[in-house]
Amino acid sequence: MAYNCENCRFRAYHDRKSTSLLGRLWRWHINFCPEWKAYFTSLPGEEKQRIREMYNFNKYQTP
């Protein structure tokens, strides 16, 4: 299954300007987005950990 999250322009904008309104909106959005959750859980362990640290997820929180 292909997910658009990896190439999402909204995510790329967050990565450039995470404190902007759009960046913060994207970060809030992934807390409940079903496509993001499916993308995140499909990642291998090391990549999942890198994403977890990059987007500040605690170890008990699955986005």
Side-chain angles (χ1 to χ4, degrees), residues 5 11 14-15 18 23-63:
C5 302
R11 177 182 176 191
H14 172 274
D15 292 347
S18 63
R24 289 181 289 151
L25 183 63
W26 178 82
R27 177 57 183 87
W28 169 79
H29 165 80
I30 65 172
N31 287 325
F32 58 85
C33 176
E35 190 165 342
W36 172 262
K37 288 180 182 184
Y39 166 73
F40 183 77
T41 56
S42 73
L43 294 172
E46 290 178 9
E47 180 69 9
K48 199 180 286 186
Q49 184 59 34
R50 186 184 72 77
I51 296 287
R52 192 180 300 277
E53 291 170 6
M54 179 185 288
Y55 298 125
N56 198 25
F57 301 140
N58 67 36
K59 68 180 185 176
Y60 300 109
Q61 176 186 14
T62 302

Side-chain angles (χ1 to χ4, degrees), residues 8-19:
C8 175
R9 292 186 333 196
F10 202 25
R11 177 182 176 191
Y13 190 84
H14 172 274
D15 292 347
R16 285 192 313 274
K17 297 181 180 183
S18 63
T19 58

